[in-house]
Amino acid sequence: MEKKELIMSAALDVFAEKGYHNTKMEEIADVAGIGKGTLYGHFTNKQDLFDQTVFWFLDNYFISLEHNIIEDDSIYDTIYKFIINHIDILEKTKTSFLNVLTDFSNIKRSKEEIFEFHQEFLFNKVSRYSKIFIKAKERGELRNINTELAAHFLIGALKGISESVLVGEKIEDPAKIAEEITDLLCYGMVSN
Amino acid sequence: MEKKELIMSAALDVFAEKGYHNTKMEEIADVAGIGKGTLYGHFTNKQDLFDQTVFWFLDNYFISLEHNIIEDDSIYDTIYKFIINHIDILEKTKTSFLNVLTDFSNIKRSKEEIFEFHQEFLFNKVSRYSKIFIKAKERGELRNINTELAAHFLIGALKGISESVLVGEKIEDPAKIAEEITDLLCYGMVSN
Amino acid sequence: MEKKELIMSAALDVFAEKGYHNTKMEEIADVAGIGKGTLYGHFTNKQDLFDQTVFWFLDNYFISLEHNIIEDDSIYDTIYKFIINHIDILEKTKTSFLNVLTDFSNIKRSKEEIFEFHQEFLFNKVSRYSKIFIKAKERGELRNINTELAAHFLIGALKGISESVLVGEKIEDPAKIAEEITDLLCYGMVSN
Amino acid sequence: MEKKELIMSAALDVFAEKGYHNTKMEEIADVAGIGKGTLYGHFTNKQDLFDQTVFWFLDNYFISLEHNIIEDDSIYDTIYKFIINHIDILEKTKTSFLNVLTDFSNIKRSKEEIFEFHQEFLFNKVSRYSKIFIKAKERGELRNINTELAAHFLIGALKGISESVLVGEKIEDPAKIAEEITDLLCYGMVSN
DNA sequence: CATGAATGAGTGTTCATTCAT
DNA sequence: GATGAATGAACACTCATTCAT
């Protein structure tokens, strides 16, 4: 792993555990096992380190999220694998990094930057999740639903899982949760 | 409005716009039109002001959320009114205060406090939303679904709406959004 | 007791226990059982309250110090009674207020004020103690010693007693201490 | 001189001149010619800086106090040299730091800390001064006097000298003062 | 290129003092 | 005159960032 990734990996851990404002550059350096000054050779400043770390994490997250999913998978299988993969990542990163993402808007930025960031980040996030629904719709599996909305449902559920983990709960049966989410998303809640 | 509410109202605006760490006590005082020192006559410290403001907002939020909803409303009508009310509150508070809530865990607290808070807050939040699904289930309107999960779906959708507003989008047609959400939650996404 | 003395009495207790800078005007008011604002009806400000309290205490202290001492007393008897009276006052005020006196110079004042105060206060203090030695010298009881110096010896001894009390020690045998001090001052320490 | 001593030296000057509570960390930094933040690299906080400075000063003070004193010196010579050394230190430090010492108990501490400190500090101080009397007693030079009491006499006299300096007086003739103090302590004040 | 000692701008909080009641 | 809610100046301390080594 190159130095820059080493730093982002350390930063990910610390940011995720403490949030942006409670994370000290020195602690990141300590966790990375390097000197404080070295951070500034790779990143302009704290905000830059945070931003790059988040996008680096997201890239990895979305790649991992699609692990094992193949083109032909039904929407059911796709979501099911999403959940399993998500829980897997949660356990690996040992933290609910997703929670940090909300921090994004709380970093001191100008209104314009916040706006721009949200545009980019939210679009990025939602569109990534929407993708699967759009594909399924194209395959004719789905009714004419609002795919973005479905993405938000899914994100809400994943957030709920993350929060449970954050509170210290152990995910005993990922398969069951995956089934419940998929079932509810697919068939709705009303009795026939 | 008594002084304490005046302060919390100002705090709500500022916290929601800037997040906990970027909010200066002085600014809250300025917005409230009072002196900085006066804040400390009503709240122990910044964190206390934040905590009380959040819970005060939540209480009002949940009361407003149930506005117009009557006992006999079907689950469809209940959710529909939820959405409408939520959008209404969003516009009134002019901020997406819900986003601040995530800040909660990011304020410097001991692990134990974070844990305790999350237990209390998340349970509070989820259970409030779950309630309507539990009731509907009791009335026989729903399949044997996981009501907490449904709550997370709904929260995800509401969060999505909030984020849109945060990004500056205007909610053109609340009714349509309400219908979409309710429809998707009720009937799922698969084509029968 | 008139209001002003009531206040000074309360101030004495609090200043003596906590020192000037750790004493809050509100606490003095509380102890005096009056409102905070009332203090400012009797004293210009905190410093004025402190100054007046100190001089008021000193006046009482020096009066009490000479309790029971009569014109004809020998220097031995005079010092002996001084010690006894000093210990008595210490127990009554329950604090070693003398320690506060050193605080005088530590209050924020201009160089000139500090100078002026010290001139007045130290002169006052030392001359009061010196007086007895001067009288005794006049009566021919003493050698041609430096009376101010003798006063400092005595003050040092009294300070030592006060400190013992401050540390929590109980003065078991005032008479013995009084005898030791007087003896040492009178006859010196060398073996004839 | 290493950085830490440089800081304590500056702190000594400022604390001695203004007292604990009127001394700003920034001023100490200014006097030391360093940045405010640097102080915190060497000391935990203001109180820690004060405590360490006091004990550092005391160590140096007591070493200097015994300058030139040799084992065989009579009690007279020992005290004489004490006074001369004390005046010498006073002039070198240009401040009456001894006055600061009284501040010790006035810094905000818990009752327990004050107690513990006094125990340690006073014992330290008095026992250091007592030492010379104890030794002289062992050599048979002295009557069976209370050595602690003699120490308090001496401390009182030194305090008196310090106060004179504080008030701006110049010590014209240290030798004379030393003689007077020693004489009075040795032979007492009563005429044969 | 790496380091970490040094920096100083920035902010939460205290408390003497004021003044409307 | 008495009150105590309101005020805001003042200060200890933090931590992102720099730069000499």
Side-chain angles (χ1 to χ4, degrees):
Chain A
M1 184 157 48
E2 61 166 308
K3 179 78 64 88
K4 190 167 178 178
E5 281 206 328
L6 173 73
I7 295 174
M8 291 194 294
S9 174
L12 183 64
D13 286 347
V14 187
F15 279 133
E17 191 189 334
K18 313 206 163 178
Y20 182 81
H21 284 96
N22 300 322
T23 295
K24 295 175 226 175
M25 292 299 268
E26 186 159 20
E27 187 169 4
I28 294 175
D30 285 350
V31 171
I34 60 172
K36 215 185 334 174
T38 309
L39 296 176
Y40 292 84
H42 298 272
F43 303 91
T44 317
N45 51 31
K46 189 182 180 185
Q47 192 167 119
D48 179 48
L49 169 56
F50 182 77
D51 287 358
Q52 291 205 42
T53 298
V54 167
F55 283 108
W56 171 76
F57 168 76
L58 280 184
D59 284 344
N60 291 333
Y61 172 75
F62 282 117
I63 288 171
S64 302
L65 205 54
E66 295 177 15
H67 180 65
N68 264 342
I69 295 178
I70 55 177
E71 195 69 19
D72 293 338
D73 275 338
S74 69
I75 183 67
Y76 188 99
D77 288 344
T78 305
I79 295 175
Y80 186 94
K81 288 176 181 173
F82 251 52
I83 317 288
I84 300 296
N85 289 336
H86 175 76
I87 292 174
D88 216 46
I89 297 163
L90 264 190
E91 280 171 359
K92 270 191 199 127
T93 58
K94 280 198 192 85
T95 75
S96 166
F97 191 71
L98 283 183
N99 283 296
V100 176
L101 301 181
T102 320
D103 246 8
F104 247 137
S105 61
N106 292 332
I107 298 172
K108 196 167 243 161
R109 308 175 193 252
S110 69
K111 284 268 179 204
E112 291 70 29
E113 283 172 322
I114 293 179
F115 182 83
E116 187 188 348
F117 166 75
H118 256 88
Q119 288 285 31
E120 181 184 349
F121 170 62
L122 291 182
F123 176 79
N124 191 315
K125 184 177 74 173
V126 176
S127 69
R128 295 255 203 172
Y129 284 104
S130 303
K131 207 174 53 184
I132 59 168
F133 299 108
I134 294 174
K135 276 189 189 162
K137 216 164 146 185
E138 285 168 0
R139 282 198 306 269
E141 283 189 76
L142 305 185
R143 299 194 289 134
N144 183 29
I145 55 145
N146 180 331
T147 51
E148 248 189 46
L149 181 56
H152 281 299
F153 275 22
L154 185 51
I155 290 169
L158 295 179
K159 201 83 197 309
I161 296 173
S162 300
E163 281 171 343
S164 300
V165 171
L166 191 65
V167 173
E169 287 176 24
K170 179 111 191 71
I171 306 294
E172 297 294 352
D173 194 349
K176 181 162 171 260
I177 292 177
E179 274 166 29
E180 284 179 352
I181 294 175
T182 323
D183 177 71
L184 186 53
L185 245 178
C186 286
Y187 307 114
M189 58 188 182
V190 300
S191 47
N192 70 326
Chain B
M1 180 159 49
E2 62 166 302
K3 182 74 63 88
K4 191 168 179 179
E5 281 205 329
L6 173 74
I7 295 174
M8 291 194 292
S9 175
L12 183 65
D13 286 347
V14 187
F15 279 134
E17 190 189 335
K18 312 208 162 179
Y20 182 82
H21 284 98
N22 299 322
T23 295
K24 286 173 258 184
M25 292 300 269
E26 188 159 22
E27 187 169 4
I28 293 175
D30 285 349
V31 171
I34 60 171
K36 206 184 344 170
T38 308
L39 297 176
Y40 292 86
H42 298 271
F43 303 91
T44 317
N45 52 30
K46 189 181 180 185
Q47 192 165 121
D48 179 47
L49 170 55
F50 182 76
D51 288 358
Q52 291 205 40
T53 299
V54 166
F55 283 109
W56 172 76
F57 168 76
L58 281 184
D59 283 345
N60 291 333
Y61 172 76
F62 282 116
I63 289 170
S64 302
L65 206 54
E66 296 178 16
H67 180 65
N68 265 340
I69 295 178
I70 55 175
E71 195 69 19
D72 292 339
D73 276 338
S74 69
I75 184 68
Y76 188 99
D77 288 344
T78 305
I79 295 175
Y80 185 93
K81 289 175 180 174
F82 251 53
I83 319 287
I84 300 295
N85 289 336
H86 176 77
I87 293 174
D88 215 46
I89 298 164
L90 265 188
E91 279 170 0
K92 270 193 200 126
T93 58
K94 281 199 193 83
T95 74
S96 165
F97 192 71
L98 282 182
N99 283 294
V100 175
L101 301 182
T102 321
D103 245 8
F104 247 136
S105 61
N106 291 332
I107 298 172
K108 198 167 241 161
R109 304 175 195 252
S110 70
K111 284 269 177 203
E112 289 70 27
E113 282 172 322
I114 293 179
F115 182 82
E116 188 187 348
F117 166 74
H118 256 89
Q119 289 283 33
E120 180 184 349
F121 170 62
L122 290 182
F123 176 78
N124 192 315
K125 186 177 71 174
V126 175
S127 69
R128 295 252 203 173
Y129 284 105
S130 304
K131 205 176 52 183
I132 57 168
F133 299 109
I134 294 173
K135 276 188 189 161
K137 216 164 145 185
E138 287 167 359
R139 283 196 307 268
E141 282 190 76
L142 305 185
R143 299 196 286 137
N144 184 31
I145 55 146
N146 180 332
T147 52
E148 252 191 41
L149 182 56
H152 280 299
F153 274 22
L154 185 53
I155 290 168
L158 295 178
K159 200 85 196 305
I161 296 171
S162 300
E163 280 170 344
S164 300
V165 171
L166 190 66
V167 173
E169 287 176 23
K170 178 113 189 71
I171 306 294
E172 298 294 353
D173 193 348
K176 183 163 168 258
I177 291 177
E179 274 166 29
E180 283 181 353
I181 293 175
T182 324
D183 177 71
L184 187 52
L185 246 179
C186 286
Y187 307 114
M189 60 187 181
V190 300
S191 48
N192 64 324
Chain C
M1 183 158 46
E2 63 166 307
K3 179 78 66 88
K4 190 166 178 179
E5 280 206 329
L6 174 74
I7 295 174
M8 290 193 293
S9 174
L12 183 65
D13 286 348
V14 187
F15 279 132
E17 190 189 336
K18 312 205 164 178
Y20 182 81
H21 284 96
N22 299 323
T23 295
K24 295 176 226 174
M25 291 300 267
E26 187 159 21
E27 187 170 3
I28 293 175
D30 286 349
V31 171
I34 59 171
K36 214 184 336 173
T38 308
L39 296 177
Y40 291 86
H42 298 272
F43 303 90
T44 318
N45 52 31
K46 187 183 182 185
Q47 193 168 119
D48 179 46
L49 170 55
F50 182 77
D51 288 358
Q52 292 204 41
T53 299
V54 166
F55 284 108
W56 171 76
F57 167 76
L58 280 184
D59 284 344
N60 291 333
Y61 172 74
F62 282 116
I63 289 170
S64 303
L65 205 54
E66 296 177 15
H67 179 65
N68 264 341
I69 294 178
I70 56 176
E71 195 68 18
D72 293 337
D73 276 338
S74 69
I75 183 68
Y76 189 98
D77 288 344
T78 306
I79 296 175
Y80 186 92
K81 288 175 181 173
F82 252 53
I83 318 288
I84 300 295
N85 290 335
H86 175 77
I87 292 174
D88 215 48
I89 299 163
L90 265 190
E91 279 171 1
K92 271 191 199 125
T93 58
K94 281 201 193 85
T95 75
S96 166
F97 191 72
L98 283 184
N99 283 295
V100 176
L101 301 182
T102 321
D103 246 9
F104 249 136
S105 62
N106 292 332
I107 297 170
K108 197 170 243 160
R109 308 176 192 251
S110 69
K111 283 269 179 202
E112 291 70 28
E113 282 171 323
I114 292 179
F115 182 82
E116 186 188 348
F117 166 74
H118 257 87
Q119 289 283 32
E120 181 184 349
F121 169 62
L122 290 182
F123 177 78
N124 191 313
K125 185 176 73 175
V126 175
S127 69
R128 295 253 203 172
Y129 284 105
S130 304
K131 207 174 54 182
I132 57 166
F133 299 108
I134 294 173
K135 276 188 189 162
K137 215 165 146 183
E138 286 166 0
R139 284 196 306 266
E141 282 189 77
L142 304 185
R143 297 195 289 137
N144 184 30
I145 56 146
N146 181 332
T147 52
E148 251 191 43
L149 182 57
H152 281 300
F153 274 22
L154 185 52
I155 291 169
L158 295 179
K159 200 85 196 308
I161 296 173
S162 300
E163 281 172 344
S164 300
V165 171
L166 191 66
V167 174
E169 288 176 22
K170 180 114 189 69
I171 306 294
E172 297 295 354
D173 194 348
K176 182 163 168 257
I177 291 177
E179 274 164 32
E180 282 179 353
I181 293 176
T182 323
D183 177 70
L184 187 52
L185 246 179
C186 287
Y187 307 113
M189 60 187 180
V190 299
S191 47
N192 65 326
Chain D
M1 185 159 46
E2 63 166 304
K3 182 73 65 85
K4 191 168 179 178
E5 282 206 328
L6 173 74
I7 295 174
M8 290 194 294
S9 174
L12 183 64
D13 286 348
V14 187
F15 279 134
E17 191 189 335
K18 312 208 163 178
Y20 182 81
H21 284 96
N22 300 321
T23 295
K24 286 175 257 183
M25 290 301 268
E26 190 159 20
E27 187 170 3
I28 293 175
D30 285 349
V31 171
I34 59 172
K36 204 188 344 173
T38 307
L39 297 177
Y40 292 87
H42 298 272
F43 303 91
T44 315
N45 52 30
K46 189 182 180 184
Q47 192 166 121
D48 179 47
L49 170 55
F50 182 76
D51 287 358
Q52 291 205 39
T53 298
V54 167
F55 283 109
W56 171 75
F57 168 76
L58 280 184
D59 284 344
N60 291 333
Y61 172 75
F62 282 116
I63 288 171
S64 302
L65 206 55
E66 296 179 14
H67 180 65
N68 264 340
I69 295 177
I70 55 176
E71 195 70 17
D72 293 337
D73 277 336
S74 68
I75 184 68
Y76 188 98
D77 289 344
T78 304
I79 296 175
Y80 187 93
K81 289 175 180 173
F82 252 54
I83 319 287
I84 301 295
N85 289 335
H86 177 75
I87 294 174
D88 214 49
I89 297 163
L90 266 189
E91 280 171 0
K92 271 195 199 119
T93 58
K94 282 200 193 81
T95 74
S96 166
F97 192 72
L98 282 183
N99 283 295
V100 175
L101 300 183
T102 321
D103 245 9
F104 246 136
S105 62
N106 292 332
I107 298 172
K108 200 169 241 160
R109 308 174 193 251
S110 70
K111 285 270 179 203
E112 289 70 27
E113 282 171 323
I114 292 180
F115 182 82
E116 188 186 349
F117 166 73
H118 257 88
Q119 289 283 33
E120 180 184 348
F121 170 62
L122 290 182
F123 177 78
N124 192 314
K125 185 177 73 174
V126 176
S127 69
R128 294 254 204 173
Y129 284 105
S130 304
K131 205 175 53 182
I132 57 167
F133 299 108
I134 294 174
K135 274 189 191 161
K137 214 164 148 185
E138 287 168 358
R139 282 197 306 266
E141 283 189 75
L142 305 184
R143 298 196 287 135
N144 185 30
I145 56 147
N146 180 332
T147 51
E148 249 190 45
L149 181 57
H152 280 301
F153 274 20
L154 186 52
I155 291 168
L158 295 179
K159 202 83 196 308
I161 297 173
S162 300
E163 281 171 343
S164 301
V165 171
L166 191 66
V167 173
E169 287 175 24
K170 178 110 190 72
I171 306 294
E172 296 296 351
D173 194 348
K176 182 161 168 261
I177 292 176
E179 273 165 30
E180 283 180 353
I181 294 175
T182 323
D183 177 70
L184 187 52
L185 246 179
C186 286
Y187 307 114
M189 58 188 182
V190 300
S191 48
N192 67 324

